[in-house]
Amino acid sequence: MSFNYLQVTTEEKMAVITINRPKVLNALKYEVLLELQEAFNSLREDNEVKVVIITGSGEKAFVAGADIGVMANLGPLEAQKYIRAGHETFDLIAAFPKPVIAAVNGFALGGGLELALACDYIFAVEEAKFGLPEITLGIIPGWGGTQRLPQAVGIGRARELVYTGKVIDAQEAEKIGLVNRLFPADGFLTAVQAEAKTLVQRSLVALNMAKTAINAHLDAGGPAGKTVEIQSVCICFASNDQKEGMAAFQEKRKPKFTDS
Ligand code: CO8
């Protein structure tokens, strides 16, 4: 498999997908989402792969979110295309018939945390940082975060993180159950691969059925929540505050929201 924005390696029945845009902290522009879909579709058919690990390149970030440079000037309909692509990609990962582990090697913010939440579980470095800061940009989480974060950490903590946009450290993320385990940055991927080896020894049939049954519990509420999320984030793209929030990020200043 050859990609512009991903590296995919396979070893001992484990595939590692590395998102590779370190200059923008691995931000997920539209084309990266399409490549992720292609990679997962290919790994689904690959009998040499039983577990997938997804991580970010460089030492600073897993993924710092959707690409703010791309989003800044989108209208509601263009935003809808980008939002749908994110949902399709993360739903593909959530329903992937083999375990997918997020190896969070730094910032997991916005769409980056939403990607990690679509994985089966999260391992992280001790310096990792987590959050859904979309509200500081004048929008809301739009790639499943309003649905999957409450499932992961409970409704009150999810509301606080979504409403404030605050970023929490890895220790707090572990305390609230967002992260399964923390590891030192030195040798992180090797440590995650060592953990994943346990899954390689299990039956893929049983793993697939376990994931299917747990997903049935998570999806019991039906698709309505995701539909509302998509509509709601599209509405944000018709607001002045979305334009102001993203312009402020690019200009490295605080936004001046006008509630319009
Ligand atoms: N998109 C594009 N570029 C980014 C992003 C991003 N999400 N994050 C960082 N970058 C760029 C910076 O602009 C900077 O570029 P340059 O060197 O050209 O100035 C470079 O990466 C390095 O970043 P910083 O200089 O900012 O590094 P710091 O160490 O000072 O800060 C932070 C690191 C705290 C991670 C900071 O970069 C930051 O706050 N990033 C944005 C985080 C964020 O708000 N993420 C949420 C984005 S919105 C989202 O994900 C919504 C998803 C679903 C909706 C989809 C709707 C269409």
PDB file of all heavy atoms in Angstrom, residues 23-25 27 60 64-69 71 79 82-83 107 109-111 114 133-134 137 139 142-143 237 249 252, ligand 1:
ATOM      1  N   LYS A  23       4.131  18.540  10.180  1.00  0.00           N
ATOM      2  CA  LYS A  23       4.240  20.018  10.196  1.00  0.00           C
ATOM      3  C   LYS A  23       2.952  20.676  10.660  1.00  0.00           C
ATOM      4  O   LYS A  23       2.965  21.800  11.172  1.00  0.00           O
ATOM      5  CB  LYS A  23       4.602  20.531   8.795  1.00  0.00           C
ATOM      6  CG  LYS A  23       6.063  20.346   8.480  1.00  0.00           C
ATOM      7  CD  LYS A  23       6.458  21.059   7.215  1.00  0.00           C
ATOM      8  CE  LYS A  23       7.920  20.741   6.925  1.00  0.00           C
ATOM      9  NZ  LYS A  23       8.241  20.744   5.510  1.00  0.00           N
ATOM     10  N   VAL A  24       1.808  20.010  10.447  1.00  0.00           N
ATOM     11  CA  VAL A  24       0.527  20.546  10.942  1.00  0.00           C
ATOM     12  C   VAL A  24      -0.046  19.602  12.004  1.00  0.00           C
ATOM     13  O   VAL A  24      -1.260  19.464  12.157  1.00  0.00           O
ATOM     14  CB  VAL A  24      -0.492  20.807   9.804  1.00  0.00           C
ATOM     15  CG1 VAL A  24      -0.099  22.025   8.992  1.00  0.00           C
ATOM     16  CG2 VAL A  24      -0.640  19.590   8.906  1.00  0.00           C
ATOM     17  N   LEU A  25       0.854  18.974  12.740  1.00  0.00           N
ATOM     18  CA  LEU A  25       0.481  18.081  13.854  1.00  0.00           C
ATOM     19  C   LEU A  25      -0.516  17.013  13.412  1.00  0.00           C
ATOM     20  O   LEU A  25      -1.453  16.675  14.128  1.00  0.00           O
ATOM     21  CB  LEU A  25      -0.037  18.896  15.049  1.00  0.00           C
ATOM     22  CG  LEU A  25       0.871  20.059  15.513  1.00  0.00           C
ATOM     23  CD1 LEU A  25       0.339  20.666  16.804  1.00  0.00           C
ATOM     24  CD2 LEU A  25       2.307  19.617  15.699  1.00  0.00           C
ATOM     25  N   ALA A  27      -2.848  16.993  11.233  1.00  0.00           N
ATOM     26  CA  ALA A  27      -4.254  17.396  11.033  1.00  0.00           C
ATOM     27  C   ALA A  27      -4.866  16.604   9.875  1.00  0.00           C
ATOM     28  O   ALA A  27      -4.219  16.333   8.864  1.00  0.00           O
ATOM     29  CB  ALA A  27      -4.335  18.903  10.750  1.00  0.00           C
ATOM     30  N   LYS A  60       5.252  15.119  18.781  1.00  0.00           N
ATOM     31  CA  LYS A  60       4.393  16.103  19.437  1.00  0.00           C
ATOM     32  C   LYS A  60       2.917  15.726  19.439  1.00  0.00           C
ATOM     33  O   LYS A  60       2.205  15.992  20.400  1.00  0.00           O
ATOM     34  CB  LYS A  60       4.577  17.430  18.707  1.00  0.00           C
ATOM     35  CG  LYS A  60       4.152  18.634  19.472  1.00  0.00           C
ATOM     36  CD  LYS A  60       4.737  19.874  18.832  1.00  0.00           C
ATOM     37  CE  LYS A  60       4.100  21.105  19.395  1.00  0.00           C
ATOM     38  NZ  LYS A  60       4.614  22.324  18.775  1.00  0.00           N
ATOM     39  N   ALA A  64      -3.911  16.646  15.771  1.00  0.00           N
ATOM     40  CA  ALA A  64      -4.416  17.879  16.410  1.00  0.00           C
ATOM     41  C   ALA A  64      -5.765  18.297  15.864  1.00  0.00           C
ATOM     42  O   ALA A  64      -6.185  19.436  16.073  1.00  0.00           O
ATOM     43  CB  ALA A  64      -3.401  19.001  16.264  1.00  0.00           C
ATOM     44  N   GLY A  65      -6.454  17.406  15.146  1.00  0.00           N
ATOM     45  CA  GLY A  65      -7.833  17.703  14.746  1.00  0.00           C
ATOM     46  C   GLY A  65      -8.032  17.742  13.255  1.00  0.00           C
ATOM     47  O   GLY A  65      -7.152  17.371  12.478  1.00  0.00           O
ATOM     48  N   ALA A  66      -9.230  18.196  12.864  1.00  0.00           N
ATOM     49  CA  ALA A  66      -9.471  18.493  11.457  1.00  0.00           C
ATOM     50  C   ALA A  66      -8.553  19.647  11.076  1.00  0.00           C
ATOM     51  O   ALA A  66      -8.038  20.361  11.944  1.00  0.00           O
ATOM     52  CB  ALA A  66     -10.935  18.898  11.267  1.00  0.00           C
ATOM     53  N   ASP A  67      -8.338  19.834   9.775  1.00  0.00           N
ATOM     54  CA  ASP A  67      -7.403  20.858   9.319  1.00  0.00           C
ATOM     55  C   ASP A  67      -8.090  22.229   9.342  1.00  0.00           C
ATOM     56  O   ASP A  67      -8.976  22.497   8.521  1.00  0.00           O
ATOM     57  CB  ASP A  67      -6.909  20.508   7.904  1.00  0.00           C
ATOM     58  CG  ASP A  67      -5.717  21.350   7.509  1.00  0.00           C
ATOM     59  OD1 ASP A  67      -5.744  22.581   7.758  1.00  0.00           O
ATOM     60  OD2 ASP A  67      -4.752  20.791   6.968  1.00  0.00           O
ATOM     61  N   ILE A  68      -7.655  23.073  10.268  1.00  0.00           N
ATOM     62  CA  ILE A  68      -8.318  24.372  10.457  1.00  0.00           C
ATOM     63  C   ILE A  68      -8.102  25.267   9.232  1.00  0.00           C
ATOM     64  O   ILE A  68      -8.991  26.021   8.836  1.00  0.00           O
ATOM     65  CB  ILE A  68      -7.817  25.051  11.757  1.00  0.00           C
ATOM     66  CG1 ILE A  68      -8.175  24.164  12.952  1.00  0.00           C
ATOM     67  CG2 ILE A  68      -8.445  26.446  11.924  1.00  0.00           C
ATOM     68  CD1 ILE A  68      -7.518  24.566  14.263  1.00  0.00           C
ATOM     69  N   GLY A  69      -6.947  25.133   8.584  1.00  0.00           N
ATOM     70  CA  GLY A  69      -6.689  25.895   7.356  1.00  0.00           C
ATOM     71  C   GLY A  69      -7.709  25.554   6.278  1.00  0.00           C
ATOM     72  O   GLY A  69      -8.167  26.427   5.540  1.00  0.00           O
ATOM     73  N   MET A  71     -10.758  24.196   6.896  1.00  0.00           N
ATOM     74  CA  MET A  71     -12.123  24.478   7.366  1.00  0.00           C
ATOM     75  C   MET A  71     -12.478  25.948   7.388  1.00  0.00           C
ATOM     76  O   MET A  71     -13.650  26.311   7.283  1.00  0.00           O
ATOM     77  CB  MET A  71     -12.302  23.966   8.810  1.00  0.00           C
ATOM     78  CG  MET A  71     -12.561  22.497   8.934  1.00  0.00           C
ATOM     79  SD  MET A  71     -12.982  22.117  10.644  1.00  0.00           S
ATOM     80  CE  MET A  71     -11.461  22.504  11.496  1.00  0.00           C
ATOM     81  N   ALA A  79     -18.778  22.207   4.179  1.00  0.00           N
ATOM     82  CA  ALA A  79     -18.463  21.624   5.494  1.00  0.00           C
ATOM     83  C   ALA A  79     -19.137  20.263   5.626  1.00  0.00           C
ATOM     84  O   ALA A  79     -18.546  19.309   6.141  1.00  0.00           O
ATOM     85  CB  ALA A  79     -18.928  22.566   6.605  1.00  0.00           C
ATOM     86  N   TYR A  82     -17.085  17.437   4.182  1.00  0.00           N
ATOM     87  CA  TYR A  82     -15.927  17.140   5.038  1.00  0.00           C
ATOM     88  C   TYR A  82     -16.390  16.403   6.305  1.00  0.00           C
ATOM     89  O   TYR A  82     -15.776  15.416   6.735  1.00  0.00           O
ATOM     90  CB  TYR A  82     -15.274  18.481   5.374  1.00  0.00           C
ATOM     91  CG  TYR A  82     -13.897  18.466   5.993  1.00  0.00           C
ATOM     92  CD1 TYR A  82     -13.057  17.363   5.947  1.00  0.00           C
ATOM     93  CD2 TYR A  82     -13.409  19.620   6.619  1.00  0.00           C
ATOM     94  CE1 TYR A  82     -11.787  17.408   6.512  1.00  0.00           C
ATOM     95  CE2 TYR A  82     -12.153  19.677   7.182  1.00  0.00           C
ATOM     96  CZ  TYR A  82     -11.350  18.561   7.129  1.00  0.00           C
ATOM     97  OH  TYR A  82     -10.099  18.612   7.699  1.00  0.00           O
ATOM     98  N   ILE A  83     -17.491  16.871   6.849  1.00  0.00           N
ATOM     99  CA  ILE A  83     -18.022  16.244   8.070  1.00  0.00           C
ATOM    100  C   ILE A  83     -18.445  14.802   7.781  1.00  0.00           C
ATOM    101  O   ILE A  83     -18.116  13.878   8.528  1.00  0.00           O
ATOM    102  CB  ILE A  83     -19.216  17.066   8.609  1.00  0.00           C
ATOM    103  CG1 ILE A  83     -18.742  18.438   9.084  1.00  0.00           C
ATOM    104  CG2 ILE A  83     -19.914  16.320   9.753  1.00  0.00           C
ATOM    105  CD1 ILE A  83     -19.853  19.456   9.198  1.00  0.00           C
ATOM    106  N   PHE A 107      -0.573  15.218  21.303  1.00  0.00           N
ATOM    107  CA  PHE A 107      -1.901  15.848  21.299  1.00  0.00           C
ATOM    108  C   PHE A 107      -2.930  14.974  20.562  1.00  0.00           C
ATOM    109  O   PHE A 107      -2.674  14.528  19.447  1.00  0.00           O
ATOM    110  CB  PHE A 107      -1.850  17.197  20.578  1.00  0.00           C
ATOM    111  CG  PHE A 107      -1.164  18.283  21.350  1.00  0.00           C
ATOM    112  CD1 PHE A 107       0.108  18.722  20.998  1.00  0.00           C
ATOM    113  CD2 PHE A 107      -1.804  18.884  22.426  1.00  0.00           C
ATOM    114  CE1 PHE A 107       0.733  19.735  21.710  1.00  0.00           C
ATOM    115  CE2 PHE A 107      -1.188  19.905  23.147  1.00  0.00           C
ATOM    116  CZ  PHE A 107       0.090  20.319  22.789  1.00  0.00           C
ATOM    117  N   LEU A 109      -6.550  16.044  19.805  1.00  0.00           N
ATOM    118  CA  LEU A 109      -7.505  17.142  19.988  1.00  0.00           C
ATOM    119  C   LEU A 109      -8.545  17.136  18.874  1.00  0.00           C
ATOM    120  O   LEU A 109      -8.242  16.777  17.727  1.00  0.00           O
ATOM    121  CB  LEU A 109      -6.772  18.490  19.960  1.00  0.00           C
ATOM    122  CG  LEU A 109      -5.696  18.688  21.033  1.00  0.00           C
ATOM    123  CD1 LEU A 109      -5.047  20.057  20.870  1.00  0.00           C
ATOM    124  CD2 LEU A 109      -6.263  18.517  22.431  1.00  0.00           C
ATOM    125  N   GLY A 110      -9.757  17.544  19.213  1.00  0.00           N
ATOM    126  CA  GLY A 110     -10.814  17.650  18.213  1.00  0.00           C
ATOM    127  C   GLY A 110     -10.963  16.338  17.459  1.00  0.00           C
ATOM    128  O   GLY A 110     -11.122  15.257  18.044  1.00  0.00           O
ATOM    129  N   GLY A 111     -10.872  16.441  16.115  1.00  0.00           N
ATOM    130  CA  GLY A 111     -10.981  15.249  15.280  1.00  0.00           C
ATOM    131  C   GLY A 111      -9.960  14.180  15.637  1.00  0.00           C
ATOM    132  O   GLY A 111     -10.180  12.995  15.360  1.00  0.00           O
ATOM    133  N   GLU A 114     -11.563  12.374  18.403  1.00  0.00           N
ATOM    134  CA  GLU A 114     -12.706  11.639  17.821  1.00  0.00           C
ATOM    135  C   GLU A 114     -12.229  10.387  17.090  1.00  0.00           C
ATOM    136  O   GLU A 114     -12.874   9.338  17.140  1.00  0.00           O
ATOM    137  CB  GLU A 114     -13.503  12.571  16.909  1.00  0.00           C
ATOM    138  CG  GLU A 114     -14.212  13.660  17.719  1.00  0.00           C
ATOM    139  CD  GLU A 114     -14.903  14.707  16.860  1.00  0.00           C
ATOM    140  OE1 GLU A 114     -14.207  15.382  16.070  1.00  0.00           O
ATOM    141  OE2 GLU A 114     -16.123  14.855  16.970  1.00  0.00           O
ATOM    142  N   PRO A 133     -11.543  20.844  21.624  1.00  0.00           N
ATOM    143  CA  PRO A 133     -11.544  22.313  21.716  1.00  0.00           C
ATOM    144  C   PRO A 133     -12.344  23.017  20.633  1.00  0.00           C
ATOM    145  O   PRO A 133     -12.213  24.230  20.463  1.00  0.00           O
ATOM    146  CB  PRO A 133     -10.045  22.649  21.584  1.00  0.00           C
ATOM    147  CG  PRO A 133      -9.485  21.544  20.759  1.00  0.00           C
ATOM    148  CD  PRO A 133     -10.313  20.322  21.021  1.00  0.00           C
ATOM    149  N   GLU A 134     -13.194  22.267  19.907  1.00  0.00           N
ATOM    150  CA  GLU A 134     -13.928  22.867  18.785  1.00  0.00           C
ATOM    151  C   GLU A 134     -14.648  24.148  19.184  1.00  0.00           C
ATOM    152  O   GLU A 134     -14.734  25.098  18.406  1.00  0.00           O
ATOM    153  CB  GLU A 134     -14.956  21.867  18.232  1.00  0.00           C
ATOM    154  CG  GLU A 134     -14.351  20.786  17.340  1.00  0.00           C
ATOM    155  CD  GLU A 134     -13.896  19.545  18.091  1.00  0.00           C
ATOM    156  OE1 GLU A 134     -13.640  19.617  19.313  1.00  0.00           O
ATOM    157  OE2 GLU A 134     -13.783  18.483  17.438  1.00  0.00           O
ATOM    158  N   LEU A 137     -13.227  27.372  18.608  1.00  0.00           N
ATOM    159  CA  LEU A 137     -13.160  27.798  17.199  1.00  0.00           C
ATOM    160  C   LEU A 137     -14.532  28.220  16.687  1.00  0.00           C
ATOM    161  O   LEU A 137     -14.706  28.485  15.498  1.00  0.00           O
ATOM    162  CB  LEU A 137     -12.646  26.634  16.332  1.00  0.00           C
ATOM    163  CG  LEU A 137     -11.237  26.127  16.631  1.00  0.00           C
ATOM    164  CD1 LEU A 137     -11.020  24.777  15.962  1.00  0.00           C
ATOM    165  CD2 LEU A 137     -10.179  27.120  16.169  1.00  0.00           C
ATOM    166  N   ILE A 139     -17.250  26.233  16.692  1.00  0.00           N
ATOM    167  CA  ILE A 139     -18.051  25.103  16.191  1.00  0.00           C
ATOM    168  C   ILE A 139     -18.207  24.075  17.325  1.00  0.00           C
ATOM    169  O   ILE A 139     -17.844  24.354  18.470  1.00  0.00           O
ATOM    170  CB  ILE A 139     -17.437  24.439  14.924  1.00  0.00           C
ATOM    171  CG1 ILE A 139     -16.056  23.838  15.202  1.00  0.00           C
ATOM    172  CG2 ILE A 139     -17.379  25.438  13.784  1.00  0.00           C
ATOM    173  CD1 ILE A 139     -15.539  22.954  14.069  1.00  0.00           C
ATOM    174  N   GLY A 142     -17.640  17.408  15.447  1.00  0.00           N
ATOM    175  CA  GLY A 142     -18.477  17.024  14.309  1.00  0.00           C
ATOM    176  C   GLY A 142     -18.170  15.661  13.733  1.00  0.00           C
ATOM    177  O   GLY A 142     -18.737  15.280  12.722  1.00  0.00           O
ATOM    178  N   TRP A 143     -17.245  14.939  14.356  1.00  0.00           N
ATOM    179  CA  TRP A 143     -16.896  13.614  13.835  1.00  0.00           C
ATOM    180  C   TRP A 143     -17.191  12.532  14.872  1.00  0.00           C
ATOM    181  O   TRP A 143     -16.397  11.631  15.093  1.00  0.00           O
ATOM    182  CB  TRP A 143     -15.425  13.578  13.406  1.00  0.00           C
ATOM    183  CG  TRP A 143     -15.171  14.283  12.101  1.00  0.00           C
ATOM    184  CD1 TRP A 143     -16.083  14.624  11.141  1.00  0.00           C
ATOM    185  CD2 TRP A 143     -13.897  14.729  11.597  1.00  0.00           C
ATOM    186  NE1 TRP A 143     -15.461  15.243  10.077  1.00  0.00           N
ATOM    187  CE2 TRP A 143     -14.126  15.323  10.319  1.00  0.00           C
ATOM    188  CE3 TRP A 143     -12.586  14.689  12.077  1.00  0.00           C
ATOM    189  CZ2 TRP A 143     -13.100  15.865   9.546  1.00  0.00           C
ATOM    190  CZ3 TRP A 143     -11.564  15.218  11.307  1.00  0.00           C
ATOM    191  CH2 TRP A 143     -11.820  15.797  10.059  1.00  0.00           C
ATOM    192  N   PHE A 237     -21.264  26.310  10.729  1.00  0.00           N
ATOM    193  CA  PHE A 237     -20.508  26.852   9.603  1.00  0.00           C
ATOM    194  C   PHE A 237     -21.251  27.983   8.890  1.00  0.00           C
ATOM    195  O   PHE A 237     -20.707  28.595   7.971  1.00  0.00           O
ATOM    196  CB  PHE A 237     -20.122  25.736   8.623  1.00  0.00           C
ATOM    197  CG  PHE A 237     -18.853  25.039   9.038  1.00  0.00           C
ATOM    198  CD1 PHE A 237     -18.891  24.003   9.956  1.00  0.00           C
ATOM    199  CD2 PHE A 237     -17.614  25.445   8.551  1.00  0.00           C
ATOM    200  CE1 PHE A 237     -17.728  23.373  10.367  1.00  0.00           C
ATOM    201  CE2 PHE A 237     -16.448  24.823   8.955  1.00  0.00           C
ATOM    202  CZ  PHE A 237     -16.508  23.781   9.870  1.00  0.00           C
ATOM    203  N   PHE A 249      -7.559  31.572  15.246  1.00  0.00           N
ATOM    204  CA  PHE A 249      -6.528  30.531  15.397  1.00  0.00           C
ATOM    205  C   PHE A 249      -5.397  30.771  14.411  1.00  0.00           C
ATOM    206  O   PHE A 249      -4.217  30.731  14.776  1.00  0.00           O
ATOM    207  CB  PHE A 249      -7.128  29.124  15.178  1.00  0.00           C
ATOM    208  CG  PHE A 249      -6.075  28.043  15.232  1.00  0.00           C
ATOM    209  CD1 PHE A 249      -5.608  27.569  16.451  1.00  0.00           C
ATOM    210  CD2 PHE A 249      -5.520  27.524  14.072  1.00  0.00           C
ATOM    211  CE1 PHE A 249      -4.610  26.597  16.509  1.00  0.00           C
ATOM    212  CE2 PHE A 249      -4.522  26.550  14.116  1.00  0.00           C
ATOM    213  CZ  PHE A 249      -4.070  26.085  15.342  1.00  0.00           C
ATOM    214  N   LYS A 252      -3.247  33.563  15.306  1.00  0.00           N
ATOM    215  CA  LYS A 252      -2.642  33.339  16.628  1.00  0.00           C
ATOM    216  C   LYS A 252      -3.070  34.411  17.627  1.00  0.00           C
ATOM    217  O   LYS A 252      -2.266  35.049  18.290  1.00  0.00           O
ATOM    218  CB  LYS A 252      -1.109  33.245  16.518  1.00  0.00           C
ATOM    219  CG  LYS A 252      -0.645  32.091  15.606  1.00  0.00           C
ATOM    220  CD  LYS A 252       0.846  31.901  15.616  1.00  0.00           C
ATOM    221  CE  LYS A 252       1.327  30.892  14.569  1.00  0.00           C
ATOM    222  NZ  LYS A 252       0.969  29.501  14.757  1.00  0.00           N
TER     223      LYS A 252
HETATM  224  N1  CO8 B   1      -5.231  22.218  11.629  1.00  0.00           N
HETATM  225  C1  CO8 B   1      -4.314  22.830  10.860  1.00  0.00           C
HETATM  226  N2  CO8 B   1      -3.086  23.198  11.317  1.00  0.00           N
HETATM  227  C2  CO8 B   1      -2.810  22.931  12.602  1.00  0.00           C
HETATM  228  C3  CO8 B   1      -3.727  22.307  13.453  1.00  0.00           C
HETATM  229  C4  CO8 B   1      -4.990  21.927  12.917  1.00  0.00           C
HETATM  230  N3  CO8 B   1      -5.934  21.305  13.640  1.00  0.00           N
HETATM  231  N4  CO8 B   1      -3.162  22.190  14.679  1.00  0.00           N
HETATM  232  C5  CO8 B   1      -1.928  22.732  14.582  1.00  0.00           C
HETATM  233  N5  CO8 B   1      -1.721  23.177  13.338  1.00  0.00           N
HETATM  234  C6  CO8 B   1      -0.502  23.823  12.828  1.00  0.00           C
HETATM  235  C7  CO8 B   1      -0.314  25.219  13.404  1.00  0.00           C
HETATM  236  O1  CO8 B   1      -1.070  26.191  12.686  1.00  0.00           O
HETATM  237  C8  CO8 B   1       1.181  25.395  13.250  1.00  0.00           C
HETATM  238  O2  CO8 B   1       1.451  25.758  11.921  1.00  0.00           O
HETATM  239  P1  CO8 B   1       2.536  26.923  11.612  1.00  0.00           P
HETATM  240  O3  CO8 B   1       3.840  26.341  12.086  1.00  0.00           O
HETATM  241  O4  CO8 B   1       2.471  27.101  10.133  1.00  0.00           O
HETATM  242  O5  CO8 B   1       2.110  28.130  12.403  1.00  0.00           O
HETATM  243  C9  CO8 B   1       1.744  23.997  13.445  1.00  0.00           C
HETATM  244  O6  CO8 B   1       0.632  23.093  13.261  1.00  0.00           O
HETATM  245  C10 CO8 B   1       2.282  23.764  14.854  1.00  0.00           C
HETATM  246  O7  CO8 B   1       1.261  24.134  15.780  1.00  0.00           O
HETATM  247  P2  CO8 B   1       1.469  25.263  16.908  1.00  0.00           P
HETATM  248  O8  CO8 B   1       2.532  26.227  16.513  1.00  0.00           O
HETATM  249  O9  CO8 B   1       0.129  25.805  17.243  1.00  0.00           O
HETATM  250  O10 CO8 B   1       2.043  24.347  18.086  1.00  0.00           O
HETATM  251  P3  CO8 B   1       1.898  24.636  19.652  1.00  0.00           P
HETATM  252  O11 CO8 B   1       2.803  23.662  20.328  1.00  0.00           O
HETATM  253  O12 CO8 B   1       2.068  26.076  19.967  1.00  0.00           O
HETATM  254  O13 CO8 B   1       0.375  24.241  19.997  1.00  0.00           O
HETATM  255  C11 CO8 B   1      -1.589  22.893  19.865  1.00  0.00           C
HETATM  256  C12 CO8 B   1      -0.051  22.923  19.795  1.00  0.00           C
HETATM  257  C13 CO8 B   1      -2.064  23.245  21.272  1.00  0.00           C
HETATM  258  C14 CO8 B   1      -2.022  21.488  19.495  1.00  0.00           C
HETATM  259  C15 CO8 B   1      -2.166  23.922  18.852  1.00  0.00           C
HETATM  260  O14 CO8 B   1      -1.559  23.688  17.584  1.00  0.00           O
HETATM  261  C16 CO8 B   1      -3.652  23.845  18.650  1.00  0.00           C
HETATM  262  O15 CO8 B   1      -4.401  24.317  19.506  1.00  0.00           O
HETATM  263  N6  CO8 B   1      -4.104  23.262  17.528  1.00  0.00           N
HETATM  264  C17 CO8 B   1      -5.497  23.217  17.170  1.00  0.00           C
HETATM  265  C18 CO8 B   1      -6.244  22.226  18.013  1.00  0.00           C
HETATM  266  C19 CO8 B   1      -7.704  22.261  17.680  1.00  0.00           C
HETATM  267  O16 CO8 B   1      -8.385  23.238  17.890  1.00  0.00           O
HETATM  268  N7  CO8 B   1      -8.217  21.133  17.148  1.00  0.00           N
HETATM  269  C20 CO8 B   1      -9.600  21.007  16.774  1.00  0.00           C
HETATM  270  C21 CO8 B   1      -9.787  21.348  15.356  1.00  0.00           C
HETATM  271  S1  CO8 B   1     -11.514  21.348  14.913  1.00  0.00           S
HETATM  272  C22 CO8 B   1     -11.867  19.732  14.664  1.00  0.00           C
HETATM  273  O17 CO8 B   1     -11.045  18.870  14.809  1.00  0.00           O
HETATM  274  C23 CO8 B   1     -13.276  19.442  14.272  1.00  0.00           C
HETATM  275  C24 CO8 B   1     -13.470  18.037  13.716  1.00  0.00           C
HETATM  276  C25 CO8 B   1     -14.831  17.749  13.265  1.00  0.00           C
HETATM  277  C26 CO8 B   1     -15.543  18.845  12.495  1.00  0.00           C
HETATM  278  C27 CO8 B   1     -15.269  18.855  11.053  1.00  0.00           C
HETATM  279  C28 CO8 B   1     -15.969  20.008  10.415  1.00  0.00           C
HETATM  280  C29 CO8 B   1     -15.738  20.205   8.923  1.00  0.00           C
END
